[in-house]
Amino acid sequence: VIDLNTKKIGILGAGQLGRMFALASANLGIHPYFLDKQSDFPAGLISHQITEGDFTNYDDVLSFGLDKDILTIEIENVNTDALLTLEEKGVQIYPQANIIELIKDKGKQKQFYKENHFPSSKFILYENKIEVLKDLENGSIYFPFVQKLRTEGYDGKGVLVVKSQADSDQLFDKPSVIEELVDIDKELAVIVARNKKGETNSFPVVEMVFDPIANLVDYLKYPANLQNQIKEKCRSIADQMAQKIDLIGILAIEFFLTKSGELLINEMAPRTHNSGHFSMDACITSQFEQHLRAICDLPLGSTEANTPCIMLNILGPNDYVGPAKYPWLPEILKIKGVKPHIYGKKTSKPYRKLGHINIIHQNDLSLVTNLNKVKSIIKNET
Amino acid sequence: VIDLNTKKIGILGAGQLGRMFALASANLGIHPYFLDKQSDFPAGLISHQITEGDFTNYDDVLSFGLDKDILTIEIENVNTDALLTLEEKGVQIYPQANIIELIKDKGKQKQFYKENHFPSSKFILYENKIEVLKDLENGSIYFPFVQKLRTEGYDGKGVLVVKSQADSDQLFDKPSVIEELVDIDKELAVIVARNKKGETNSFPVVEMVFDPIANLVDYLKYPANLQNQIKEKCRSIADQMAQKIDLIGILAIEFFLTKSGELLINEMAPRTHNSGHFSMDACITSQFEQHLRAICDLPLGSTEANTPCIMLNILGPNDYVGPAKYPWLPEILKIKGVKPHIYGKKTSKPYRKLGHINIIHQNDLSLVTNLNKVKSIIKNET
C-alpha cells in the first residue's frame, strides 16, 4: 500500500476522464499531477499540478514521469517507449506499458483475442489499401465489412463500414484490421478493475444505444435489458481478461451480442471509459474511484448499483464551432434525478463530447420518459 | 437565471465547505472564486481562483466582491459591512447580508426566535461577566445554565455549560447569551434551501450524536430514530424560517428535542453545514449542489435519500500537532459503503476536522456495525 499522503500520482492526459479522476481522488485527499498540451484543459481547471507537454512524445513523458511514484493514463495513445523506460527505473505504471501497447494497436488486440480463445469476430490484418483491394478482388474478403485503423482511432473515428464497391474509394491507406460486419442485436459494455493482489471486481453490464450518424454512443442504460446468463458471461469474460493480461488498473470491454445470440468482444480500453459514467451516480463506487483504488493497491470498492440509470452524452451541435454553451441546463435541472457532468471545455465542435448527463430513477419507465424530456429540452434550447 | 458560463461566483472562505462546494460546482461546469488567508487551504488545492485575504476585513471583502456577480459564504464570521456595500453596488449576496448579520450574533438570533414565535429555550442577554454574576446573586438566573458568546463561537467553542458556583470563574467576560440548560433527549438537524422564486426544499431530518469531551458531533444518522410527526415538525419549522427571513441560499437548523417532547431551535447557520454531509452520498442532490442551485436561481434539486447513512467526523487526535495523516484509510476502504471525504488540510491539531466518512448501507443494523468497525480501525491505526 502506498502512503497516500506523500506519494505522487501522475496521469497522462488532462481531458474529461482525467478531470473526473481528479474529482474522485479529491474525496480521498489525493491530488494527481497531469501532463497535457494546455493547462486550461478540463482537468487543469481543478488542478494546479499540470505540466504542459505532449504525452505522445518520449522526452515529455519521461521527464514528467521521473518524479512520480505511480503513473496512469486517460487515453491509450501515449508514448509507451517512455513508459517502458520509466518502468525499468522503478516508476509504477498502471496499466502496465505492455498492456497499453497491446491495446492501442487494434491489430494486436484481435490477435490476442484469437490466441487466447476470447470470442471476437473474424479478421485479417493489412498494411495498406492496395493489399485490401487485392483481397477484395480475389474473394478473400467480401462486402460488407468493417475497416479499422490499427492505431489512432478514437470515439468512432478511424472506423469505416464498407458496404459496397462504392465505399471502397474511402478505404484507409494505413495499417488496418478488416473485420466481418457482425449482425448486431445489442452492444454491451463492462468495466472491470484488478489490483496488485489479483482481486478483480466488475461493474454491472450496460447496454449502449448508438447515434447512427455520429457513430458515437447516444445513451447507455443500466440495467441492460438482457438475460442474466448473458450478463454473467460478459462479467466473467471481463474477469478472465483482467487476469489474463495481468491488469493492474481498470479495463473497459465493449461487446457485440449478435442476432444469433453469440457474444463477441468488440474492443477494449485499459482505462476509465464513457460506458462507465453511469457508475458516478448509480453505484456505491464510481469507476474513477475504482481506478484510483486499483492503481494505489487499495481494496476494490463495491460496484453494486443503488438505482437504474441512463447516461446521455452531451455532444457539440453539428453545425457550430465556438464557445461551449449550456442554455438548457436550468431547464433540465427541474427534472428529478437529472445529474449533469459538464467537462469545462472552452470550445464546442461538431460531435465533441462536452459533458454527460446521468438520469437516475427507481422506475425504469420514468427513466425513459425523463431521458426524452432531457433530449427534447436540449434540442429546443441549443 | 444567470448565464452559468460567464457569471462569476465568489465564496468567502476556502475551507472544507468551500472545497466541497467547488467539487459539486465542477459537475455543473462552474468554477467558483475564493477569498481566504492562504491559497493552500482545502478549496485552494482544487482551484486556481483563490485570492489571499481576510474575509473579516472590509477592504479585502469589498475588493474581492466587486467583480463578482454572486457572492456567498462558507462561514458566518465575515465582514457584513462590506457585503452591505456590495449589495448596494448590485452584487448579488446570498445569503443576504442582513441574514448573515442576524445569525452571526447569537443574541440577535434568540431575540428573532422570540419575536417571531419560533420555539427556543429561555434566555437573557449580558454585556459582561459582572452583570451575569449580579443576576446569579439576585436569583434572576440559577445553576445549571449555558453561556454562549454572542459572536465568534464555532464548532463548540464559545459555549460554556455552567453547572455550579465552581464553574463561574470560567464565565466569559464578553457579550453573551445565557440560556436555560435544556433536558435534551435528542439533537436533530435539518437543512433547507430557498431560491429567488421562493421555492423551498428541505433535506430529511438527521439525528446528531455528540462526543461529550470535544463538544463536537461524533456522528449523525439518517434516518433519525424518531416519530414522523416530529420529523415533519422540524421540516415545517425550517420551511417557515426560510420564508420568514426571506432566505436565498441554504440554512441549517439544529434542534433540541427535550425529554418532555418539546422541540426547540438550538441555533442556525445560513450555509452548508456538517449536519448535511450525509447528503453527499445518500441523497439525489447534495447540500453543496443545492446551495449552488439556490444562489444561482436554478430549480432546487430533489432531497430524497436513496439509502440510510451514518456520517462520522474525522478529528485530529487530541495529543498530536503535525502533518495530517490517514494511515487507516486503506483498511476502512475494505468495508462496503464506506465513503471518505478528506479535506486536504496540511496540519492536524487536537479535534480539528480533517474530513468525514459517510457510511451507507440499506440495512440499519449493518450501518451501526460498519460504523463501529470504522471507529475501531481508526482508533487502532492512529
Side-chain angles (χ1 to χ4, degrees):
Chain A
V1 173
I2 66 155
D3 176 351
L4 297 170
N5 287 107
T6 55
K7 294 294 162 91
K8 288 184 170 181
I9 300 170
I11 176 163
L12 303 179
Q16 63 261 29
L17 297 176
R19 174 183 170 95
M20 291 183 277
F21 178 71
L23 291 172
S25 300
N27 281 330
L28 295 181
I30 295 167
H31 300 93
Y33 294 73
F34 294 90
L35 175 69
D36 212 331
K37 281 185 186 144
Q38 285 175 228
S39 62
D40 65 350
F41 279 4
L45 301 179
I46 54 154
S47 172
H48 294 273
Q49 302 175 155
I50 179 157
T51 303
E52 292 194 345
D54 180 353
F55 51 65
T56 66
N57 177 285
Y58 181 89
D59 292 330
D60 286 1
V61 172
L62 191 67
S63 73
F64 174 74
L66 275 173
D67 71 340
K68 304 300 178 295
D69 299 287
I70 297 177
L71 215 57
T72 188
I73 58 166
E74 64 152 18
I75 186 167
E76 304 87 273
N77 182 31
V78 297
N79 191 297
T80 41
D81 288 339
L83 294 181
L84 288 163
T85 307
L86 288 166
E87 261 176 5
E88 279 166 24
K89 289 179 186 287
V91 180
Q92 299 177 62
I93 315 286
Y94 304 132
Q96 301 91 314
N98 69 317
I99 295 177
I100 303 172
E101 277 204 320
L102 168 67
I103 294 181
K104 75 186 215 186
D105 180 337
K106 288 180 182 171
K108 283 192 189 167
Q109 244 187 78
K110 292 291 280 186
Q111 285 175 314
F112 182 85
Y113 301 149
K114 196 175 168 186
E115 282 161 18
N116 293 281
H117 312 290
F118 285 100
S120 186
S121 62
K122 284 179 198 146
F123 71 99
I124 304 177
L125 302 182
Y126 291 93
E127 280 305 306
N128 54 44
K129 188 169 172 173
I130 290 173
E131 283 186 7
V132 179
L133 291 173
K134 204 162 61 180
D135 267 12
L136 262 174
E137 233 175 69
N138 70 28
S140 306
I141 55 173
Y142 44 84
F143 302 107
F145 62 83
V146 179
Q147 185 188 31
K148 290 180 178 173
L149 288 182
R150 286 185 63 161
T151 55
E152 295 161 47
Y154 191 66
D155 270 357
K157 284 160 205 143
V159 176
L160 197 67
V161 178
V162 188
K163 289 186 180 155
S164 68
Q165 197 66 45
D167 297 330
S168 61
D169 284 355
Q170 299 165 44
L171 278 168
F172 298 119
D173 191 20
K174 283 186 175 177
S176 70
V177 187
I178 300 278
E179 299 178 9
E180 64 177 347
L181 185 66
V182 173
D183 213 3
I184 299 170
D185 179 26
K186 282 179 189 298
E187 299 205 23
L188 307 169
V190 169
I191 309 270
V192 63
R194 183 173 175 275
N195 64 14
K196 242 185 195 171
K197 296 182 190 71
E199 294 164 355
T200 66
N201 199 358
S202 64
F203 284 87
V205 177
V206 294
E207 185 176 343
M208 297 149 85
V209 181
F210 274 70
D211 176 329
I213 295 169
N215 196 23
L216 277 173
V217 179
D218 178 15
Y219 69 91
L220 69 71
K221 189 175 165 300
Y222 162 80
N225 180 15
L226 210 61
Q227 290 175 342
N228 278 334
Q229 190 196 340
I230 294 170
K231 292 180 188 171
E232 279 158 29
K233 200 169 168 189
C234 290
R235 294 178 80 167
S236 146
I237 289 173
D239 279 350
Q240 286 168 44
M241 183 65 78
Q243 295 291 3
K244 191 76 203 175
I245 63 176
D246 201 24
L247 175 75
I248 297 174
I250 203 162
L251 179 76
I253 307 187
E254 295 177 272
F255 294 93
F256 295 137
L257 180 66
T258 70
K259 287 190 175 146
S260 60
E262 216 180 349
L263 193 64
L264 302 172
I265 296 177
N266 174 20
E267 54 189 59
M268 57 191 196
R271 54 168 170 84
T272 56
H273 193 263
N274 197 262
S275 63
H277 288 346
F278 80 106
S279 64
M280 300 172 82
D281 295 297
C283 297
I284 291 181
T285 309
S286 78
Q287 66 167 339
F288 299 100
E289 182 180 331
Q290 194 76 309
H291 181 190
L292 182 74
R293 286 174 179 241
I295 65 172
C296 291
D297 200 19
L298 293 167
L300 298 178
S302 165
T303 57
E304 223 175 86
N306 290 320
T307 170
C309 181
I310 276 178
M311 193 285 294
L312 177 72
N313 283 314
I314 304 169
L315 306 180
N318 61 7
D319 54 357
Y320 173 76
V321 174
K325 288 174 189 173
Y326 319 94
W328 36 262
L329 197 53
E331 197 61 25
I332 67 166
L333 289 176
K334 284 184 184 164
I335 305 165
K336 180 177 161 182
V338 165
K339 307 293 295 178
H341 298 269
I342 308 287
Y343 303 152
K345 294 181 185 175
K346 302 260 182 282
T347 307
S348 178
K349 294 177 192 170
Y351 303 120
R352 189 177 196 196
K353 280 183 192 158
L354 302 177
H356 70 267
I357 298 169
N358 281 337
I359 305 170
I360 56 173
H361 203 291
Q362 293 299 340
N363 178 309
D364 234 53
L365 208 64
S366 304
L367 212 52
V368 176
T369 308
N370 287 350
L371 168 71
N372 289 332
K373 279 188 202 164
V374 167
K375 288 173 94 166
S376 118
I377 291 166
I378 293 180
K379 202 176 167 190
N380 289 332
E381 302 208 16
T382 299
Chain B
V1 173
I2 66 153
D3 177 350
L4 296 170
N5 288 107
T6 55
K7 294 292 162 94
K8 288 184 171 180
I9 300 169
I11 177 162
L12 303 180
Q16 64 262 27
L17 298 175
R19 175 183 169 96
M20 292 183 276
F21 178 71
L23 291 172
S25 300
N27 281 330
L28 295 181
I30 294 168
H31 300 93
Y33 293 74
F34 294 90
L35 175 70
D36 212 332
K37 281 187 186 141
Q38 283 176 227
S39 62
D40 65 349
F41 278 4
L45 301 177
I46 55 154
S47 173
H48 294 273
Q49 302 175 156
I50 180 157
T51 303
E52 292 193 345
D54 181 352
F55 51 64
T56 66
N57 177 285
Y58 182 88
D59 292 331
D60 286 2
V61 173
L62 191 69
S63 74
F64 174 72
L66 275 172
D67 71 339
K68 303 301 179 294
D69 298 288
I70 296 177
L71 215 58
T72 189
I73 58 165
E74 65 152 17
I75 187 167
E76 303 87 270
N77 183 30
V78 297
N79 190 297
T80 40
D81 289 338
L83 294 181
L84 287 164
T85 308
L86 287 165
E87 260 177 4
E88 278 167 23
K89 289 180 184 288
V91 179
Q92 298 177 62
I93 315 286
Y94 302 134
Q96 301 91 315
N98 68 316
I99 296 178
I100 303 173
E101 278 205 319
L102 167 68
I103 293 182
K104 76 185 212 186
D105 180 339
K106 287 180 184 171
K108 283 192 190 169
Q109 246 187 77
K110 291 292 279 188
Q111 285 176 313
F112 181 85
Y113 301 150
K114 195 175 169 186
E115 283 160 18
N116 293 281
H117 311 291
F118 285 100
S120 186
S121 62
K122 284 178 198 144
F123 71 99
I124 304 179
L125 302 184
Y126 291 93
E127 281 304 305
N128 53 46
K129 189 170 170 174
I130 291 176
E131 285 186 6
V132 178
L133 291 172
K134 203 163 58 179
D135 267 11
L136 261 173
E137 234 176 69
N138 69 27
S140 306
I141 55 172
Y142 44 85
F143 304 107
F145 62 84
V146 180
Q147 185 188 31
K148 289 180 179 175
L149 288 182
R150 286 185 62 161
T151 55
E152 296 160 47
Y154 190 67
D155 270 358
K157 285 160 204 145
V159 176
L160 196 67
V161 178
V162 187
K163 289 186 181 156
S164 68
Q165 196 66 44
D167 297 332
S168 61
D169 284 354
Q170 298 165 49
L171 279 169
F172 297 120
D173 189 21
K174 282 187 177 179
S176 70
V177 186
I178 301 278
E179 299 178 8
E180 63 176 351
L181 186 65
V182 173
D183 211 6
I184 299 169
D185 179 26
K186 283 179 188 296
E187 299 205 24
L188 308 169
V190 169
I191 308 270
V192 62
R194 183 172 175 275
N195 64 14
K196 242 188 199 171
K197 293 181 192 71
E199 294 165 356
T200 66
N201 200 357
S202 65
F203 284 87
V205 177
V206 294
E207 184 175 344
M208 297 149 84
V209 181
F210 275 69
D211 176 331
I213 295 168
N215 196 23
L216 276 173
V217 179
D218 178 16
Y219 69 90
L220 69 73
K221 187 174 167 300
Y222 162 80
N225 181 17
L226 208 62
Q227 290 175 339
N228 277 333
Q229 192 197 338
I230 294 170
K231 293 181 188 170
E232 278 158 30
K233 200 167 168 191
C234 290
R235 294 177 80 168
S236 148
I237 289 173
D239 279 351
Q240 285 167 44
M241 184 65 79
Q243 296 291 3
K244 191 75 202 172
I245 63 175
D246 202 24
L247 174 76
I248 297 173
I250 204 162
L251 180 76
I253 306 188
E254 295 177 271
F255 294 92
F256 296 137
L257 180 64
T258 70
K259 287 190 176 146
S260 60
E262 217 182 347
L263 193 64
L264 303 173
I265 296 179
N266 174 20
E267 52 188 61
M268 56 190 196
R271 53 166 172 85
T272 56
H273 193 264
N274 198 263
S275 62
H277 289 346
F278 80 106
S279 64
M280 299 173 82
D281 295 297
C283 296
I284 291 181
T285 309
S286 78
Q287 66 166 341
F288 299 100
E289 183 180 330
Q290 195 76 313
H291 180 189
L292 182 73
R293 287 175 180 241
I295 65 172
C296 292
D297 200 18
L298 293 166
L300 298 178
S302 165
T303 56
E304 222 175 86
N306 290 320
T307 171
C309 180
I310 275 178
M311 193 286 293
L312 177 72
N313 283 315
I314 304 168
L315 305 181
N318 60 7
D319 54 356
Y320 173 75
V321 174
K325 288 174 187 171
Y326 319 94
W328 36 262
L329 198 54
E331 197 62 25
I332 68 167
L333 288 176
K334 283 184 184 163
I335 306 165
K336 180 177 162 183
V338 166
K339 308 293 294 178
H341 298 269
I342 308 287
Y343 304 152
K345 293 182 185 174
K346 303 261 182 284
T347 307
S348 179
K349 294 177 193 169
Y351 303 120
R352 188 178 197 194
K353 281 184 190 158
L354 301 176
H356 69 267
I357 299 169
N358 281 336
I359 305 171
I360 55 172
H361 203 292
Q362 293 298 339
N363 178 310
D364 235 50
L365 207 65
S366 306
L367 212 51
V368 176
T369 308
N370 287 350
L371 168 71
N372 290 331
K373 279 188 201 165
V374 167
K375 287 173 94 167
S376 117
I377 291 165
I378 292 179
K379 201 176 166 188
N380 290 331
E381 302 209 14
T382 298

